[in-house]
Amino acid sequence: MTNTEQPHPDHDRGLEFDLKTLLTRRRAVGVGLVGMASAALAACAPSQSASQPSTSASSSTAAASSSSSSSASTGASASSSSSAAGTTRAIAECGVEIPDETEGPYPADGSNGPNVLEESGIVREDIRGSFGGGDAGVQEGIPLTLTLTILDNANGCVPYEGAAVYAWHCNKDGKYSMYDTGFEDDNFLRGVQEADENGQVTFTTIFPGAYMGRWPHIHFEVFDSLNNVGSTGQILKVSQVAMTDASCRAVYETEGYESSAQNFPKTTLTSDNVFGDDGGVYQLASTSGNVTSGYQASLNVTL
């Protein structure tokens, strides 16, 4: 049973992680030059179309303006333009591989007990409720939309279309489905999405709670395709998204996050046993929104 007054089990990443991190940092020195990022953008960005990334802010603006014949088409064009512009920026900023992190004790991917990836219904955008069994129902909390942009660094930082992402996190009370007492038959706040032509996946969820010993976060695994989700040999990356300090402070002042409000001040980004080595510099989500309308969080995931 998870006790919000006690730390979760040790997330020690061990020697294997340290070696991977060392190699990642050495690779970053070799590939993280501004010139290479610019070359990658020029040579490898997808061709421009309504469904693909634009290579300039001006062309994105023009495309959005030309499609404003109706409110519906304007909304669709703005959404597509925003997604494309975000991917273009992500390509330009690509070059440093996101750090490998522990799956943690509650992945439910078959590596530590249950395997939700084998269940029908796991591929979904809205992960707030359980899709099979359980009595917990839809999890309540401040709305959060999470968007991850998957980039293939080995091929010039192009969007990794067709990659599959499995994301999971705790509820507002710091509890994990399929593991914590009373939630063993639930699978809320877990889901898989396939990356689109912009390399993006989006999840509709709630803002995660804070529990003792960890900075608020969201876990994810990247697979090469939906067909290989659940196959440990096809995992391309295991990492975590760090939530911002400002958003955490605002959310944890709201009703329902009382336990998180007590736990949050006790762990900082630099003392966290996952993000503490670099302060989560490559994993801190870009966040906008508020507690009334909800938050939008995004992160570039360079493989």
Side-chain angles (χ1 to χ4, degrees):
M1 175 178 180
T2 301
N3 185 341
T4 56
E5 298 303 321
Q6 297 294 329
H8 272 286
D10 187 16
H11 289 73
D12 180 18
R13 291 166 284 175
L15 177 60
E16 181 181 357
F17 169 81
D18 293 338
L19 292 175
K20 284 184 178 179
T21 301
L22 178 59
L23 292 175
T24 298
R25 296 296 184 269
R26 293 186 66 182
R27 287 198 302 270
V29 171
V31 301
L33 300 177
V34 174
M36 290 190 67
S38 300
L41 175 59
C44 303
S47 59
Q48 295 183 27
S49 71
S51 62
Q52 292 178 319
S54 168
T55 57
S56 70
S58 59
S59 61
S60 296
T61 302
S65 299
S66 65
S67 59
S68 58
S69 59
S70 69
S71 59
S73 62
T74 299
S77 175
S79 176
S80 176
S81 177
S82 175
S83 177
T87 302
T88 299
R89 287 193 299 271
I91 295 172
E93 297 165 1
C94 183
V96 178
E97 183 178 337
I98 193 168
D100 292 283
E101 304 292 5
T102 177
E103 296 170 315
Y106 312 117
D109 61 358
S111 64
N112 184 25
N115 189 355
V116 73
L117 300 178
E118 294 180 342
E119 299 184 17
S120 175
I122 187 60
V123 180
R124 57 186 185 148
E125 179 177 335
D126 189 336
I127 64 174
R128 291 174 293 179
S130 294
F131 57 82
D135 300 319
V138 174
Q139 295 300 289
E140 297 181 352
I142 299 299
L144 173 68
T145 300
L146 173 67
T147 300
L148 302 178
T149 301
I150 314 302
L151 300 172
D152 186 357
N153 192 31
N155 290 305
C157 287
V158 296
Y160 202 132
E161 181 179 2
V165 178
Y166 167 43
W168 73 97
H169 64 88
C170 68
N171 66 8
K172 61 183 177 61
D173 298 315
K175 306 292 185 180
Y176 284 90
S177 65
M178 306 185 77
Y179 290 91
D180 277 300
T181 300
F183 301 121
E184 297 93 335
D185 295 328
D186 291 282
N187 50 29
F188 55 75
L189 303 180
R190 299 179 185 276
V192 172
Q193 281 285 286
E194 183 179 28
D196 62 16
E197 67 273 14
N198 294 312
Q200 293 182 336
V201 296
T202 298
F203 295 94
T204 299
T205 184
I206 62 168
F207 203 96
Y211 53 83
M212 288 290 289
R214 284 303 319 274
W215 181 266
H217 59 282
I218 296 174
H219 296 263
F220 67 90
E221 294 175 342
V222 182
F223 298 84
D224 65 343
S225 70
L226 274 179
N227 290 335
N228 288 321
V229 168
S231 173
T232 56
Q234 300 296 331
I235 296 179
L236 303 179
K237 179 64 64 175
V238 180
S239 197
Q240 300 179 26
V241 181
M243 310 309 295
T244 62
D245 179 82
S247 61
C248 289
R249 291 180 183 276
V251 169
Y252 298 157
E253 289 181 354
T254 65
E255 183 179 359
Y257 283 91
E258 288 79 8
S259 64
S260 295
Q262 295 178 1
N263 294 327
F264 177 64
K266 300 175 183 179
T267 304
T268 65
L269 263 173
T270 53
S271 67
D272 182 81
N273 59 9
V274 170
F275 304 125
D277 58 342
D278 59 8
V281 62
Y282 300 117
Q283 295 155 281
L284 196 64
S286 297
T287 306
S288 61
N290 54 61
V291 297
T292 301
S293 60
Y295 283 88
Q296 299 78 45
S298 61
L299 182 69
N300 298 339
V301 179
T302 302
L303 306 181

